[in-house]
Amino acid sequence: MARLLVFGSVGWDRPVWLDQPLMSGRRILGYGDQDQLSDWPNGRLGGAAANASACWVNAGHEAAVWSALRQDDIGELIKHRLAELQIETDLLHPSEAINGATLLLIEPDGERTILFQHADPNLDRTFRNYLKKKAAKIDVSKVQSFKPDGIFLRSLFDGFETLADLPPIPTIAHWPQSIEDSILPADVLIGSHDDLAAADRLADVFDQGCDACGDRLKGVIVTEGKAGGQVFTEQGNVSYSSPAVEQIDATGAGDAFAAGVLEALVAGASLVEAAQHGAIWGATTAALKGCAEPRPPQTYLKWNASDAVAP
């Protein structure tokens, strides 16, 4: 059993299942639904940190979330749900809430659009993110008190640079992120092909990753959804595949992928083996409704060298 820590968002999502793909001018039916395993009405636990940590606990590991938590009834609901999943909540930090609702518009093929509904058409989303980052400023001594075996930096809260002071443990980070002049304390960067292309990070992607992380970087994983992806290291690049599944809900599949990568790295997998393991977890999630839910045993399997799937 490993102890795994994720820095990222937690929230309460309201899925809306659409009878047709989104298209301008269409009349579309949308209905509310929830995972049959969820006991909460009108929504479900969400956010990248909740998604990743739920995969870990479902695989039999211990997990904790470092996140800003809104101070209202929904915040209490989120905290209660995390605790029910046996995810440690001691590292949640009360934050000023900007009222609104996160709607997940899920199309028949499982692809989803995230819509934050708010009364103010001029809402400054950067200020909303600023409040979260300030509220959840990182205290490395509190991180050490959890004694993590692995870390997933999904969001960069204030003080993330201090994580470089921790003893060497496998650390992965979402990329690209705005890091200004700081060094990102990560061994592995994970980013989607589309996000990296939009940020002009695909060319010489490993070298650009080294610019972000310094000599610590071991590799960059570029995900390409159902097609799998590629692992870039100093030695070159290797492709990995993604299992074919009937996609029901893509929500959290990328978070599950990253969770699987870290789980495997902590267990001793190579970077390519870890990427393949992450692809299995990501595909498993895409074939389910919701991600931050309790699952039957064997849904998310621990990485095992004897069971490793070749890329």
Side-chain angles (χ1 to χ4, degrees):
M1 178 187 296
R3 293 173 62 81
L4 303 168
L5 173 60
V6 54
F7 295 82
S9 64
V10 293
W12 193 253
D13 296 340
R14 301 181 185 277
V16 180
W17 300 87
L18 307 180
D19 70 336
Q20 300 177 59
L22 289 168
M23 184 177 292
S24 178
R26 268 189 177 168
R27 294 178 181 268
I28 298 175
L29 171 66
Y31 62 94
D33 192 17
Q34 63 183 45
D35 193 294
Q36 62 180 355
L37 296 176
S38 176
D39 55 359
W40 292 108
N42 303 320
R44 66 191 189 196
L45 182 64
N51 293 335
S53 55
C55 290
W56 291 329
V57 296
N58 281 320
H61 299 291
E62 295 182 24
V65 169
W66 188 292
S67 185
L69 180 71
R70 53 191 296 172
Q71 297 184 77
D72 56 14
D73 291 343
I74 293 179
E76 288 301 311
L77 186 62
I78 292 168
K79 185 175 181 180
H80 181 82
R81 185 59 173 152
L82 288 167
E84 275 201 335
L85 285 167
Q86 299 184 355
I87 297 167
E88 187 167 320
T89 60
D90 290 347
L91 301 178
L92 295 175
H93 304 271
S95 171
E96 180 181 346
I98 293 181
N99 291 329
T102 300
L103 306 181
L104 301 180
L105 308 181
I106 304 172
E107 301 185 34
D109 64 356
E111 291 299 328
R112 56 92 177 97
T113 298
I114 301 174
L115 171 66
F116 184 69
Q117 187 179 34
H118 192 266
D120 181 4
N122 299 312
L123 174 68
D124 185 348
R125 288 186 295 174
T126 61
F127 180 68
R128 179 170 174 247
N129 292 333
Y130 170 82
L131 289 176
K132 291 181 180 179
K133 289 184 177 182
K134 285 294 183 183
K137 184 174 181 178
I138 294 173
D139 181 338
V140 73
S141 65
K142 290 184 178 179
V143 174
Q144 289 174 317
S145 69
F146 178 67
K147 299 179 181 178
D149 298 308
I151 287 176
F152 175 22
L153 269 172
R154 180 58 177 82
S155 298
L156 300 183
F157 298 113
D158 279 6
F160 72 87
E161 306 94 334
T162 62
L163 297 177
D165 298 332
L166 293 171
I169 57 174
T171 301
I172 66 173
H174 175 73
W175 198 47
Q177 296 197 55
S178 177
I179 57 175
E180 299 178 353
D181 297 326
S182 301
I183 295 296
L184 190 56
D187 307 296
V188 177
L189 297 176
I190 301 176
S192 74
H193 182 279
D194 291 345
D195 286 349
L196 291 167
D200 196 23
R201 292 286 188 270
L202 276 179
D204 301 318
V205 66
F206 180 75
D207 290 339
Q208 292 200 59
C210 287
D211 290 341
C213 299
D215 295 339
R216 176 173 179 170
L217 186 73
K218 295 181 175 63
V220 179
I221 301 176
V222 179
T223 64
E224 299 177 25
K226 299 174 185 178
Q230 296 186 75
V231 177
F232 292 83
T233 66
E234 190 174 16
Q235 288 72 41
N237 63 295
V238 178
S239 298
Y240 68 88
S241 61
S242 182
V245 296
E246 181 181 356
Q247 180 170 278
I248 295 175
D249 181 0
T251 308
D255 305 321
F257 172 88
V261 168
L262 183 60
E263 195 265 353
L265 290 174
V266 169
S270 70
L271 188 49
V272 175
E273 290 171 335
Q276 189 63 67
H277 183 68
I280 294 171
W281 278 25
T284 297
T285 298
L288 300 168
K289 283 186 177 180
C291 185
E293 300 283 350
R295 298 295 178 191
Q298 307 302 308
T299 301
Y300 293 95
L301 297 175
K302 295 179 181 178
W303 184 82
N304 187 302
S306 62
D307 298 329
V309 179

